[in-house]
Amino acid sequence: MKPSQISALERLYRRRVPPDQLITAELAGRLAELSRDIRRQVGILINRHGAVEYVIIGDERGLFIPELADYPLGRRLLRGLRFVHTHLKGESFSEDDLTDLALLRFDIMAILQLHADDRLLAIQTAALTPSDVSGHPYRVEAAEPFATFRMDFAAFISTLERSLESSLSAAREVAAGEERAILVSATRQEREEAEDSLDELKELARTAGVAVLDAIIQRPREFNPRYLMGEGKMREVVIRALQLGATLLIFDQELTPAQVRSISELTELKVIDRSQLILDIFARRAKSLDGKVQVELAQLKYLLPRLTGRGVQMSRLMGGIGGRGPGETKLETDRRRIRDRIAKLERELEELSRGRQQRRQKRVRAGLPIVSIVGYTNAGKSTLLNALTRSEVFTENLLFATLDTSTRRLRFPREREVIVTDTVGFIRSLPASLMGAFKSTLEELQDADLLLHLVDCATPRVEEQIRQVETILDELELGDKPRLVVFNKADLLTGLKQRNPLIFMKIRQLSRQYGAIMISAADPASLEPLLLEMERRFWPARVDPS
């Protein structure tokens, strides 16, 4: 561009627009004149005070909106900026224009439609709206000559914000003081399996205190390396989240560091995956020193590859003559500190592991049989431990309600005792970092004489949960341990039989297949068959009391 054209564009920053006007006739005419002169689209972003904050130059077909760091959305419904730009051939809004309106949450978007006749200038507007019958998050008005266009902009914004606020008030009342999330799954699994996994993610979100506003499943033919799902679908998800007032996107699949960065560039919402959600729950639930150390270690191992900077060009750790800079960059310092912290935590975990080993050796020398309760999370392991040993270990109807291993004594008739331990629950797609960190806690299972595999028989996913637990036990090299399958929550089967007889019959069939004992940990009277079977396994030659 010529210096005179650049100067003319820079002078646009001096313009002011009255609060009750979208744009003045003089400023609109100047934009049209400059756009015709340079044969490019010209756009301006105007704040609520009427000052021009950004002047944007594009090409003949469109323009690129810069990062609006000075006007973040946060928890606001609108950004506080209106976007006015020119279209050289008198065309209406493009798909990119409307996507930008929905993603960036402008107060309003307006296009000045230029025509061959220099005297003819039309204007067309589009604004966000609560979801309507069409499902679009915006409403596009018909174009009209600029000379006849009238709008009280201050009144328009006030009315728009009230309508958007009222449409979100119900969701915000439900989720007062909580994060509000959209759950996203991009998978090639069968639809039913994907829905089961997403239902479990909803339970994880509930455990973490996150209100779920919507859930979206896509089964793409090919996974997008940048966004996991297609870019167009990803934009739809973000627009839907903004429309519902969500503050968080939770993916059911584990995202790579590059995917987190790419998705975060599309939106100002927080983006996490299933692994990060589980880590957050573990951090909230860990009470003992062992648990806290293991959770922090898992979090740091998850975080380390996700630290980002500006690439190798910013590195100061260079070799060769003249290559040594003034010191490490902030990114490299953070990475070094995390590695040092990981090394320290691993040493601390090793010391704690030695202490646990000594305690286990004492139990082994005492000659008492050891029973370890294993199973899927929320199967009722802690409730069973409390019922068997009359303990008061914390229980709640949440996933991962307890993380720390609890050990109690169970006394049988004729002064016989066993040691009962309750371990952390398993779950599908357990993060690798967590499996590594919790192996030290699960060392308790190595010394067990019997594994009580507790199963929630009232869940429709009972077969899948049994397989998941068996897979994890095999990974821990515990597949050969003596095992007793126990179906818990049998008291809920009566209602299930009435609601879904087919699932009820399937559970009865699985019970026979695994030789399972049916109990209800909430009803101590139902535990007698389990106690008799445990006594038979440990002391098979016991005398019949009759």
Side-chain angles (χ1 to χ4, degrees):
M1 288 189 294
K2 301 174 183 176
S4 59
Q5 292 170 332
I6 295 174
S7 297
L9 289 165
E10 288 175 344
R11 284 196 293 273
L12 292 175
Y13 284 105
R14 303 177 189 173
R15 305 277 181 161
R16 290 292 182 273
V17 179
D20 60 338
Q21 292 186 38
L22 170 62
I23 187 172
T24 61
E26 183 185 1
L27 181 53
R30 189 63 179 142
L31 282 176
E33 181 184 338
L34 288 169
S35 189
R36 287 192 179 101
D37 185 28
I38 64 177
R39 301 302 305 164
R40 298 185 185 193
Q41 290 189 12
V42 177
I44 56 174
L45 286 164
I46 306 170
N47 65 23
R48 296 275 177 94
H49 301 292
V52 176
E53 286 287 340
Y54 298 86
V55 177
I56 307 168
I57 311 301
D59 54 25
E60 191 175 323
R61 294 180 299 277
L63 18 70
F64 177 77
I65 299 172
E67 184 179 355
L68 306 174
D70 293 337
Y71 286 86
L73 271 179
R75 292 181 179 267
R76 295 189 304 173
L77 298 178
L78 295 172
R79 194 172 291 273
L81 291 172
R82 72 199 88 159
F83 184 33
V84 183
H85 65 290
T86 59
H87 276 194
L88 294 171
K89 297 179 180 178
E91 64 271 30
S92 182
F93 286 102
S94 67
E95 193 64 36
D96 285 343
D97 286 335
L98 297 173
T99 300
D100 286 339
L101 169 64
L103 279 175
L104 299 176
R105 311 291 289 181
F106 290 125
D107 291 353
I108 194 171
M109 182 177 281
I111 50 174
L112 299 173
Q113 297 173 333
L114 280 59
H115 295 272
D117 185 347
D118 287 355
R119 292 170 298 175
L120 185 60
L121 180 65
I123 186 169
Q124 188 178 18
T125 62
L128 297 174
T129 180
S131 54
D132 56 13
V133 178
S134 67
H136 292 303
Y138 45 75
R139 182 177 64 252
V140 179
E141 304 293 347
E144 60 178 295
F146 189 85
T148 61
F149 176 74
R150 298 289 181 272
M151 172 185 279
D152 186 337
F153 183 71
F156 169 81
I157 284 297
S158 178
T159 303
L160 177 59
E161 286 189 319
R162 280 199 304 272
S163 64
L164 291 174
E165 188 69 40
S166 63
S167 70
L168 295 178
S169 59
R172 287 187 169 173
E173 284 174 14
V174 171
E178 296 179 340
E179 293 279 8
R180 301 180 296 277
I182 300 287
L183 306 186
V184 185
S185 175
T187 179
R188 293 204 187 103
Q189 292 178 321
E190 295 296 326
R191 184 83 185 182
E192 186 177 351
E193 288 182 37
E195 288 174 352
D196 281 349
S197 183
L198 216 53
D199 286 343
E200 190 171 87
L201 189 64
K202 286 180 185 176
E203 281 299 300
L204 287 169
R206 182 177 72 87
T207 301
V210 176
V212 176
L213 302 181
D214 199 2
I216 297 169
I217 298 176
Q218 189 191 35
R219 299 175 62 231
R221 294 180 183 175
E222 298 290 337
F223 288 119
N224 187 313
R226 290 191 66 195
Y227 302 106
L228 195 62
M229 55 176 54
E231 184 175 355
K233 184 65 176 179
M234 190 68 252
R235 290 180 183 275
E236 287 179 23
V237 169
V238 173
I239 291 170
R240 177 66 175 159
L242 292 170
Q243 195 177 9
L244 293 177
T247 59
L248 185 65
L249 294 179
I250 305 177
F251 281 78
D252 196 26
Q253 291 72 35
E254 186 160 345
L255 300 174
T256 66
Q259 286 169 341
V260 172
R261 286 196 298 272
S262 298
I263 296 168
S264 297
E265 287 171 1
L266 276 182
T267 176
E268 294 167 41
L269 301 173
K270 286 180 279 188
V271 179
I272 65 172
D273 58 19
R274 183 188 185 95
S275 297
Q276 198 168 348
L277 181 61
I278 293 174
L279 285 169
D280 183 71
I281 294 169
F282 274 44
R284 292 177 183 219
R285 296 285 174 182
K287 302 298 181 187
S288 69
L289 180 59
D290 284 27
K292 290 177 180 178
V293 169
Q294 287 167 136
V295 169
E296 185 181 354
L297 180 60
Q299 285 179 317
L300 291 175
K301 286 184 174 180
Y302 180 86
L303 176 64
L304 184 59
R306 288 164 173 78
L307 284 179
T308 56
R310 299 197 175 197
V312 294
Q313 73 273 16
M314 295 296 290
S315 177
R316 299 186 187 277
L317 300 180
M318 300 182 293
I321 297 174
R324 189 176 302 280
E328 296 170 298
T329 62
K330 179 70 166 61
L331 173 64
E332 289 155 350
T333 304
D334 290 344
R335 283 179 174 159
R336 176 172 54 79
R337 285 175 177 168
I338 287 179
R339 290 192 191 100
D340 291 345
R341 182 66 179 161
I342 286 173
K344 182 181 178 182
L345 289 172
E346 286 177 337
R347 289 193 298 271
E348 194 172 339
L349 205 56
E350 194 174 335
E351 291 175 8
L352 292 169
S353 180
R354 282 197 292 269
R356 282 193 301 271
Q357 187 175 3
Q358 290 171 0
R359 291 193 293 274
R360 290 201 309 272
Q361 286 173 349
K362 286 181 182 179
R363 292 200 295 265
V364 171
R365 284 197 295 269
L368 296 178
I370 299 173
V371 177
S372 287
I373 307 174
V374 298
Y376 213 76
T377 180
N378 207 26
K381 296 182 296 299
S382 298
T383 304
L384 178 60
L385 178 69
N386 287 341
L388 288 173
T389 63
R390 297 180 182 177
S391 305
E392 294 182 356
V393 174
F394 175 77
T395 60
E396 194 172 346
N397 184 25
L398 294 172
L399 304 187
F400 301 115
T402 52
L403 299 180
D404 303 313
T405 300
S406 300
T407 303
R408 301 290 187 273
R409 289 193 179 210
L410 170 60
R411 186 178 295 274
F412 284 89
R414 286 183 291 280
E415 300 302 319
R416 287 166 171 164
E417 290 184 342
V418 298
I419 301 293
V420 183
T421 61
D422 169 29
T423 56
V424 63
F426 300 145
I427 196 169
R428 75 173 85 189
S429 306
L430 193 66
S433 56
L434 270 181
M435 275 298 296
F438 275 84
K439 273 185 178 177
S440 53
T441 295
L442 297 172
E443 288 169 1
E444 300 280 351
L445 303 179
Q446 300 288 349
D447 299 320
D449 300 296
L450 176 66
L451 298 181
L452 281 188
H453 179 180
L454 197 65
V455 179
D456 177 3
C457 66
T459 176
R461 301 187 290 273
V462 56
E463 196 169 9
E464 169 67 18
Q465 291 185 1
I466 292 173
R467 282 199 301 268
Q468 288 288 337
V469 172
E470 289 179 342
T471 300
I472 293 173
L473 289 174
D474 288 339
E475 289 175 4
L476 295 170
E477 299 179 356
L478 296 168
D480 297 331
K481 283 278 181 186
R483 202 175 309 173
L484 175 59
V485 179
V486 180
F487 276 22
N488 188 26
K489 305 185 184 179
D491 53 314
L492 301 179
L493 291 183
T494 304
L496 182 64
K497 183 178 181 179
Q498 297 171 349
R499 293 192 312 272
N500 199 324
L502 290 177
I503 292 180
F504 175 79
M505 293 300 295
K506 182 179 179 181
I507 290 171
R508 301 296 294 185
Q509 181 183 350
L510 285 172
S511 173
R512 290 191 294 270
Q513 177 183 335
Y514 287 98
I517 295 174
M518 305 288 287
I519 69 164
S520 172
D523 179 15
S526 70
L527 303 180
E528 187 176 354
L530 172 60
L531 293 169
L532 288 173
E533 177 61 22
M534 290 168 62
E535 197 170 3
R536 185 192 67 79
R537 291 204 179 199
F538 290 125
W539 302 286
R542 76 180 183 88
V543 180
D544 193 301
S546 61

